[in-house]
Amino acid sequence: MTFIAAIARRLGALFDRRRADREFDEEAQFHLDMLSQRLEREGAAPHEARRRARAHFGGVRGLGDDMREARGTLFIDDLARDVRFGVRQLLAHPVFTAVVTVTLALGIGATSAIFSVVDHVLLRPAAFAEPERLVMLWGTDSASGTTREPIAWPDLVDFRARSRTITSAAAIIGAQASLAIAGAEPSRATIVAATSNTFQTLGVRPLIGRAFTDAEDVPGGPAVALIGESLWRVRFGADAGVIGRTILVDEAQTQIIGVVPDGADFGIDQMNQRAAYHQPYTPAGPVDLWVPVQGDPQRYPRSTHPLLAFGRLAPGATVVTAQSDLGAIAAELERTYPENAARGVHVESFDDVVLGPSRPLLNVLLAAVALLLVVATVNVANLLLARGTARVREVALRGALGASSVRLTRQFIAEGAVLVGLGTMAGLGAAWFVLRLLRTYGPADVPRLDGASLDWRAVALTFLVGAVVGLIFGLVPVVSAFRSDTMAVLKGEGNATGMSRGGVRLRDGLVVVQLTLCVALAICASLVTRSFAQVMRIDPGFTSAGVLKAQYVLPSARYPRDFAQFPRFVEITQFTDRLLAQAAAIPGVQSAAIAAAHPLDAGFTNSWRVVGREAEASGWPEISLRLVSPGYFETMGLARTSGRGFGAGDDASGPAVALINETAARRFFGGADPVGQEIEFWGIRRRVVGVVADERIHGLTTAAPPAAYVPLAQIPSATGVLLVRTRGDVSTLAAPVRGAIAAIDPQLAVFGIEPFSATLADTLAQRKFAMFVLGAFALVTIVLAVVGVHGVVSYAAVQRTREIGIRQALGATRLEVIGLVLRGTALLALVGVAAGVAAAAAGSGVLASLLYGVSRFDPLTFVVVPLAVAGVALLSSWLPARRAAVTSPLVAIRS
């Protein structure tokens, strides 16, 4: 038989066991008959010949086993029998099997899901060439203390020309636009204006077509655009013939010249969020359109800072050397241009900008899920340790009947493998479910979270964890059984069927570890929860309940802004007035307003001064400018502390006026009343007519900056947010509001329609996400700890049944017996809780970025949580203690 034929026959024997067994038996019978016939020919009687033949081969079954072993199938047969026996054992103890399976599923499932997220978000590089060489070029303002501002166009040009450490400096501006394709209904599009070297700097090539040329990135250049990959696939069916087609971008004919892969927009959302003031850009999935910036000093003068700039480090350059190089250039620009007074540059790793805020959250989750996995593993190990000890007599009996140690070891490993296999498969299902929850409810500002999936790396990790756990768990009962005195076990003498002293110490040590990790995780979860509660108590200055928000961007083609006519932008003003009237007429609307930026959008800032105090203004920070219609303060419930609000007379023809917030009033006017004073920016003096309460425009956890409110009619804005207030269900206003806008301009794309309470909730997404996930992990850990402590105490109580019976016979009361059992648990709980408090104190530093208004050593949390966990542990041991106390002394002594 050739080698290949032998392999084929072995494989055939594996897959057709009945046929193989029949062939083995027939061949064995053939050899038995042949030997019998030969013995008869040599003179033996027929029955003697058969007896001697069977003795020679060991019978047909023995000969068949030898043949199976020779053909390599006997091991598989035995393994299959071991697995079947293991399954029967687990089915015979369904509660034990279910507890272990669920425990493993929770640990493995949560670990795989969180690892999938961390792997996808943090560990996988962006779709850029050499992303470690990408840096952000922020502007700084020493007057205001800000270090992450967009930069001016002329500054970018100077950095490009003079830097020796940056080989390529590019910039983008995020925006919204109306997009119409082949006469279809217009839709809102996320648009990014990019310098012509953007894709070269990132190291990204278009999927099809080409990138921008320098000739297209000049003022008045051709209207061209690259479309995003998602838009290309959804709206154009991934048609390669899309190149050269024309679309309407803000109603302007624009030619498609290429398709950009989705990965090229990685980090744009995070850039906008990190900037000290925001762009008119609302992330809602991949970027739809890329257009050239077409900037110049006239359109973007040195006094305005609209560009999010980034660059690629030259070979050998670092962030530090680039900071030194560009810092020197910025200092020279500050000396040369008055507009650059107090202006500098801050070079920062691109990776830190994009992933920096998310890294602490993900690291905390990864640490928490690791604790959960350890607790689950310890729990299962403790359960198997107790069960393995209880099976010492079974192992001793099987050994006495002839089972070898190898066979018994294989049997236990097979049983453990079946158990872990069940837990691993259930864990994969749990991981899929948890990952789906994370993608659905995770914070939107965590980059690439929506793309996280249970890929082969996570599955490999799951099986690796399962294999390691299975090997350890499979050996626990074997080692426990083999270390016992077999003869003593069979005779039922002494403590032979109980746990050795070393086993008891191991069991107690596992309980302590479990309680330690449980307390540490519960304290961390409580700190985050208390922090979230503190954030929720912050007064944002406005009232979000009952307010609906709808955003739009007026296309310049039909709503021109001729600055020679400033502020008489007739079309924009007419649209604003008509929209306010339409919104106010919607049934149920109490008030309506329009603002250039909603209360949680930082908007933009500008240099300013108080008339008559110009000398003081050189060190002042820029002030946040808020362009609002007269009804804004009533609609947002913003309190006015002095003066008046805006009225119908505060229009383009009326006197220039402004309101300031309380922060600006305190900082720049001290105890004096600012009402009646004059401030100046953009070369226009405005009289302060009132003071309003602070709005936390940078988020709830950041103090309100100095802000000035200007009538929208005196500075018309193409970007707008309609805000309407109602006493009824705010969600019912969405359709009427959309209809009101369509009635004025049916071609205008509207986006961001949602209750403003939802907008506020989005700013707390990371904290809320951390609170729920850590809370869920802590709850699961506490449940596992309770199950583990209850199981261990129950087992220990059973092992001490005879001792307890003797004590009761000698006069011990039930309370004394209960106290005897609880004392052991109390000691373990004391040690575990103390260690847990120490671990939480040492590890709470990683939570620092997630805490607000709560110290990481919060005394209340560090007292209440350990006491609660200790109480739960004692409570879980009460039932077995009581059960031991009510056992009859006579029955206990006979057990």
Side-chain angles (χ1 to χ4, degrees):
M1 182 182 296
T2 65
F3 175 75
I4 295 178
I7 293 297
R9 184 160 187 174
R10 291 186 181 189
L11 291 176
L14 288 177
F15 291 105
D16 192 352
R17 306 297 302 277
R18 291 185 178 179
R19 182 182 63 80
D21 288 346
R22 187 172 63 252
E23 290 179 352
F24 289 151
D25 291 341
E26 290 174 356
E27 188 172 353
Q29 188 63 49
F30 171 76
H31 288 293
L32 196 63
D33 292 343
M34 292 296 293
L35 181 57
S36 296
Q37 292 173 11
R38 183 169 65 82
L39 292 174
E40 285 183 27
R41 288 196 299 271
E42 292 174 355
H47 67 280
E48 178 62 15
R50 288 191 171 277
R51 187 192 67 79
R52 289 170 59 185
R54 285 196 295 270
H56 179 77
F57 288 120
V60 174
R61 182 171 296 278
L63 184 57
D65 289 344
D66 291 343
M67 294 172 65
R68 292 187 186 92
E69 186 170 17
R71 292 184 178 183
T73 60
L74 184 59
F75 172 77
I76 296 176
D77 290 342
D78 291 341
L79 183 60
R81 279 195 290 270
D82 290 339
V83 171
R84 287 196 295 271
F85 181 77
V87 171
R88 287 198 298 271
Q89 285 288 318
L90 297 178
L91 291 176
H93 302 84
V95 175
F96 168 82
T97 304
V99 170
V100 172
T101 301
V102 171
T103 302
L104 285 175
L106 289 173
I108 293 175
T111 304
S112 299
I114 296 296
F115 174 78
S116 296
V117 172
V118 174
D119 176 47
H120 190 75
V121 175
L122 293 184
L123 304 183
R124 295 194 181 189
F128 306 146
E130 300 178 281
E132 68 280 0
R133 288 177 54 199
L134 289 176
V135 292
M136 283 294 297
L137 310 179
W138 296 109
T140 65
D141 185 351
S142 59
S144 62
T146 54
T147 58
R148 285 176 172 168
E149 292 190 4
I151 68 173
W153 173 266
D155 291 347
L156 175 67
V157 174
D158 287 326
F159 289 147
R160 278 179 178 170
R162 304 183 195 182
S163 175
R164 294 167 300 172
T165 56
I166 301 293
T167 59
S168 177
I172 60 172
I173 304 174
Q176 307 293 327
S178 174
L179 170 66
I181 301 173
E185 286 293 322
S187 60
R188 171 247 183 177
T190 301
I191 187 169
V192 170
T195 55
S196 60
N197 65 340
T198 293
F199 300 111
Q200 174 196 353
T201 303
L202 294 175
V204 172
R205 293 175 178 271
L207 290 175
I208 58 174
R210 60 173 177 83
F212 302 124
T213 63
D214 291 341
E216 292 163 339
D217 192 19
V218 295
V224 295
L226 288 93
I227 60 175
E229 180 182 356
S230 295
L231 181 71
W232 176 54
R233 295 189 183 282
V234 173
R235 302 291 295 273
F236 296 95
D239 180 12
V242 72
I243 306 300
R245 290 181 60 177
T246 299
I247 56 177
L248 294 177
V249 180
D250 275 346
E251 303 180 10
Q253 298 279 342
T254 305
Q255 185 183 34
I256 298 173
I257 62 171
V259 176
V260 182
D262 281 342
D265 57 15
F266 175 69
I268 292 179
D269 294 350
Q270 287 68 36
M271 290 183 203
N272 278 281
Q273 290 165 8
R274 309 294 172 261
Y277 43 87
H278 296 174
Q279 306 295 313
Y281 176 84
T282 303
V287 171
D288 298 315
L289 295 169
W290 300 74
V291 299
V293 172
Q294 298 181 340
D296 67 352
Q298 284 70 43
R299 185 178 182 186
Y300 299 119
R302 201 175 286 275
S303 58
T304 63
H305 308 88
L307 300 173
L308 292 170
F310 52 92
R312 181 169 290 277
L313 293 172
T318 65
V319 172
V320 175
T321 58
Q323 176 65 56
S324 176
D325 177 33
L326 296 181
I329 298 172
E332 186 177 341
L333 295 177
E334 184 179 7
R335 290 189 294 271
T336 306
Y337 303 104
E339 300 94 327
N340 281 52
R343 292 284 173 181
V345 66
H346 171 49
V347 181
E348 188 174 12
S349 164
F350 183 83
D351 182 71
D352 288 344
V353 173
V354 175
L355 300 176
S358 302
R359 190 174 283 119
L361 170 66
L362 296 177
N363 287 338
V364 166
L365 296 184
L366 196 59
V369 81
L371 294 182
L372 175 62
L373 179 62
V374 172
V375 170
T377 304
V378 168
N379 202 341
V380 174
N382 228 338
L383 292 173
L384 284 178
L385 179 64
R387 185 167 181 262
T389 305
R391 297 179 66 183
V392 169
R393 187 178 180 84
E394 171 198 338
V395 174
L397 182 60
R398 293 175 63 185
L401 293 176
S404 68
S405 59
V406 174
R407 179 61 187 270
L408 290 172
T409 300
R410 192 175 63 197
Q411 168 60 53
F412 277 93
I413 290 178
E415 190 174 322
V418 171
L419 193 58
V420 172
L422 290 174
T424 303
M425 296 306 295
L428 283 175
W432 176 85
F433 179 73
V434 173
L435 197 55
R436 189 168 183 179
L437 289 179
L438 295 177
R439 287 199 303 262
T440 304
Y441 299 104
D445 55 348
V446 175
R448 298 194 289 192
L449 177 60
D450 56 346
S453 61
L454 198 64
D455 60 5
W456 70 268
R457 292 156 66 109
V459 173
L461 174 70
T462 301
F463 279 109
L464 177 63
V465 172
V468 172
V469 172
L471 178 61
I472 296 174
F473 293 172
L475 292 178
V476 166
V478 176
V479 174
S480 178
F482 287 167
R483 292 182 62 182
S484 301
D485 184 342
T486 303
M487 293 307 297
V489 170
L490 293 176
K491 291 178 181 177
E493 296 177 348
N495 192 40
T497 56
M499 189 176 287
S500 66
R501 183 170 298 177
V504 172
R505 284 199 292 267
L506 175 60
R507 182 198 65 195
D508 292 347
L510 292 176
V511 171
V512 169
V513 169
Q514 201 168 27
L515 288 173
T516 299
L517 300 180
C518 177
V519 169
L521 191 52
I523 287 178
C524 292
S526 298
L527 287 174
V528 174
T529 302
R530 291 207 64 207
S531 171
F532 186 78
Q534 291 289 338
V535 173
M536 293 301 292
R537 293 193 187 99
I538 297 174
D539 180 9
F542 52 79
T543 304
S544 61
V547 175
L548 184 82
K549 167 179 75 68
Q551 297 175 257
Y552 59 86
V553 179
L554 299 175
S556 58
R558 289 188 289 113
Y559 300 91
R561 291 189 298 166
D562 182 0
F563 283 90
Q565 304 297 324
F566 179 84
R568 292 178 174 77
F569 299 158
V570 178
E571 292 80 4
I572 294 178
T573 301
Q574 288 178 345
F575 175 88
T576 303
D577 292 342
R578 292 184 61 190
L579 180 56
L580 281 174
Q582 289 274 0
I586 295 174
V589 170
Q590 289 181 284
S591 63
I594 294 177
H598 62 71
L600 288 170
D601 185 338
F604 64 95
T605 63
N606 208 86
S607 301
W608 71 297
R609 62 191 179 92
V610 176
V611 176
R613 297 165 54 192
E614 286 78 3
E616 301 175 46
S618 60
W620 286 1
E622 293 188 341
I623 197 166
S624 293
L625 294 182
R626 319 293 293 174
L627 314 181
V628 300
S629 69
Y632 177 81
F633 306 108
E634 291 76 14
T635 302
M636 295 312 302
L638 200 59
R640 188 171 65 252
T641 58
S642 67
R644 66 172 179 85
F646 295 140
D650 298 318
D651 55 15
S653 58
V657 296
L659 280 81
I660 61 174
N661 66 355
E662 291 179 310
T663 297
R666 282 194 305 270
R667 180 162 183 180
F668 302 110
F669 295 93
D673 185 1
V675 175
Q677 301 282 333
E678 284 188 316
I679 61 175
E680 180 179 340
F681 57 87
W682 291 359
I684 300 175
R685 293 185 176 185
R686 297 182 179 276
R687 186 169 300 281
V688 177
V689 296
V691 179
V692 294
D694 289 336
E695 290 181 298
R696 297 208 172 211
I697 61 176
H698 290 298
L700 291 182
T701 58
T702 304
Y709 293 82
V710 179
L712 195 60
Q714 296 184 351
I715 305 181
S717 172
T719 62
V721 182
L722 174 63
L723 300 158
V724 293
R725 173 172 291 280
T726 179
R727 284 199 183 94
D729 182 2
V730 69
S731 61
T732 61
L733 290 180
V737 163
R738 191 184 293 276
I741 297 175
I744 303 171
D745 187 344
Q747 299 300 313
L748 186 64
V750 184
F751 58 94
I753 299 182
E754 63 180 7
F756 197 68
S757 55
T759 306
L760 177 62
D762 286 344
T763 66
L764 304 174
Q766 275 213 21
R767 294 177 185 277
K768 193 173 181 180
F769 180 70
M771 181 186 69
F772 277 116
V773 174
L774 284 179
F777 286 175
L779 182 62
V780 171
T781 304
I782 291 174
V783 171
L784 293 179
V786 169
V787 171
V789 171
H790 177 79
V792 167
V793 173
S794 298
Y795 174 76
V798 170
Q799 294 301 309
R800 299 179 67 179
T801 300
R802 180 173 299 192
E803 174 197 342
I804 291 173
I806 294 174
R807 287 176 180 271
Q808 288 177 314
L810 294 177
T813 64
R814 288 185 177 181
L815 285 178
E816 289 173 334
V817 172
I818 292 175
L820 176 68
V821 176
L822 291 184
R823 272 198 297 277
T825 305
L827 180 60
L828 297 179
L830 180 63
V831 176
V833 166
V837 169
S844 60
V846 299
L847 296 174
S849 63
L850 299 176
L851 300 181
Y852 177 86
V854 176
S855 165
R856 70 185 185 94
F857 300 115
D858 178 54
L860 182 62
T861 303
F862 273 74
V863 171
V864 173
V865 172
L867 288 177
V869 174
V872 171
L874 288 176
L875 193 62
S876 69
S877 60
W878 167 260
L879 190 59
R882 185 176 178 278
R883 192 164 50 236
V886 299
T887 303
S888 166
L890 186 60
V891 174
I893 293 173
R894 287 177 175 174
S895 67

